[in-house]
Amino acid sequence: MEWQKAAKKWSLVLAGILSVQWAIAQDNSELQSTARTFLRSGDYANAILVLNQAIQSAPDDLELRKDLAFAYYLKGDYNRAYTVVSPLVDKKEADIHLFQIAGNIYQSKQDWKGAEKLYQRGLRKFPKSGELHNDYGDLLQNMKNFDGALRYWVKGIEVDPNFPGNYYHAARSYLWTKEPIWAILYGETFINLESYTTRTAEIRDIVLECYKKLFDDPAIFNSVPVESSDRKGKKAPEVGFMDAYKSIMAKQVSVIATGIEPQSLVMLRTRFLLDWYNFYSLKYPYALFDFQRKLLRDGMFEAYNQWLFGPSANAADYKAWTALHKTEYDSFSAWQRNHPLKLKDEEFYNTGKLATIK
């Protein structure tokens, strides 16, 4: 019948169209892969050439255009990067990565206000993005709005607690405030989330320095509340997280009378954990302290503290310790790989009342 012949004809045509589209998609996928290889090798000119070729057959492909904008940015051609990326942020498919790329391009053109509006727009769309809070904080810092930057990094910690970047920047900022405790807590958290980078070494120094600041300034412990006498943790005084932390640390001053170094910090932090779990752990559950307690119970706490503080306190002593305690250190390294620190959304206790930066 005629309708059957026509149907067969159109089904063949449709199959041909789909086959061509699939072939184009495959070609574009291969071209994009090739372009990204060029990007990774630093050959930005060839990456741009390949991406432009792919875009000719798929002009609406957001991923190809995003890669093209990034390639222009890496090449240093910020005007072309800006031209490519600006219309992409209007698309409903725009993702967090696109807003990050666009923000970097806007900042490279020194369009500070444009970048600020871009990040605000991105955060309205992705309010729980640790990456965008991190990048917006960077922008505000570049604009000399240091308090604003710290607020966005702290907010990023609250909404996306397992993203490391905000801990890094917050720890660096809190070093210069009157509250070194947050630098200690955020710094140690960062070191566990990003353990082997140049930033890790920087934050190790900050955490050690902030322990010294904590005990160098007696005023930090002024008006510290007295903890509950209930040693089973069933009842705790109505104090905030920070006051609870200070109340326990205030009792440990004698432990570090001979100075702040890895061995004294092992004793200080062990006593802190014992008291914390007697008095405040039910009121203020905190994943970092749970992590430390697990290390303590598994016999890894000394090796962990050596790994945490040793390289900054005294590199030669640290090297000697690892050589003398090789079995213990190897056991800790294996433990660390199998027990990564995981933060929880509901364990955020920073009130947002940030101390004025000195």
Side-chain angles (χ1 to χ4, degrees), residues 9-268:
K9 174 183 176 182
W10 283 110
S11 67
L12 292 172
V13 170
L14 179 61
I17 292 171
L18 292 175
S19 177
V20 170
Q21 289 177 338
W22 182 84
I24 291 173
Q26 287 296 105
D27 287 343
N28 282 339
S29 178
E30 291 177 7
L31 288 173
Q32 186 173 37
S33 178
T34 299
R36 288 178 174 175
T37 299
F38 281 131
L39 282 177
R40 286 190 292 270
S41 68
D43 190 347
Y44 307 130
N46 265 328
I48 290 167
L49 186 153
V50 172
L51 287 165
N52 275 319
Q53 181 179 339
I55 287 170
Q56 288 182 14
S57 59
D60 297 324
D61 191 311
L62 183 71
E63 290 299 314
L64 290 174
R65 290 191 174 275
K66 182 169 70 173
D67 283 359
L68 180 62
F70 190 48
Y72 279 129
Y73 165 73
L74 293 176
K75 189 182 178 186
D77 192 341
Y78 303 132
N79 288 329
R80 287 188 179 179
Y82 185 89
T83 299
V84 174
V85 83
S86 292
L88 300 183
V89 296
D90 294 326
K91 297 184 177 296
K92 65 179 182 180
E93 302 91 349
D95 58 10
I96 292 170
H97 189 218
L98 176 58
F99 278 100
Q100 287 187 283
I101 292 172
N104 287 335
I105 292 169
Y106 279 48
Q107 290 191 67
S108 296
K109 285 179 60 65
Q110 298 186 357
D111 182 2
W112 311 119
K113 291 298 182 184
E116 189 167 15
K117 290 178 181 177
L118 180 79
Y119 288 129
Q120 290 171 351
R121 183 176 177 182
L123 285 170
R124 284 195 295 271
K125 187 172 183 179
F126 303 104
K128 293 189 175 183
S129 167
E131 295 93 335
L132 291 181
H133 280 88
N134 178 78
D135 291 358
Y136 191 14
D138 282 346
L139 171 67
L140 292 173
Q141 184 179 53
N142 291 336
M143 296 170 68
K144 310 302 181 185
N145 183 356
F146 301 114
D147 284 343
L150 182 52
R151 283 190 175 86
Y152 271 92
W153 290 325
V154 170
K155 185 65 177 178
I157 289 169
E158 179 182 8
V159 300
D160 192 358
N162 286 290
F163 176 74
N166 291 300
Y167 292 100
Y168 168 75
H169 289 295
R172 293 174 80 240
S173 293
Y174 273 114
L175 171 64
W176 304 109
T177 73
K178 296 177 181 179
E179 286 290 5
I181 292 169
W182 285 120
I184 290 170
L185 296 176
Y186 289 159
E188 184 172 349
T189 300
F190 171 78
I191 291 168
N192 279 283
L193 294 177
E194 186 178 301
S195 299
Y196 297 98
T197 69
T198 55
R199 299 202 305 181
T200 310
E202 179 188 0
I203 298 301
R204 275 196 174 101
D205 292 342
I206 287 175
V207 173
L208 188 62
E209 177 64 22
C210 284
Y211 266 111
K212 294 175 182 177
K213 285 183 69 174
L214 182 62
F215 290 98
D216 280 348
D217 183 5
I220 290 176
F221 298 119
N222 286 348
S223 303
V224 170
V226 178
E227 70 272 6
S228 167
S229 60
D230 184 347
R231 298 195 60 82
K232 294 185 178 180
K234 295 179 180 179
K235 185 179 180 181
E238 292 300 319
V239 297
F241 176 87
M242 186 57 66
D243 283 337
Y245 184 99
K246 290 177 182 177
S247 73
I248 293 178
M249 277 298 178
K251 297 164 52 180
Q252 317 301 337
V253 176
S254 62
V255 178
I256 46 83
T258 58
I260 300 287
E261 43 83 32
Q263 280 305 121
S264 63
L265 284 170
V266 171
M267 182 61 69
L268 172 76

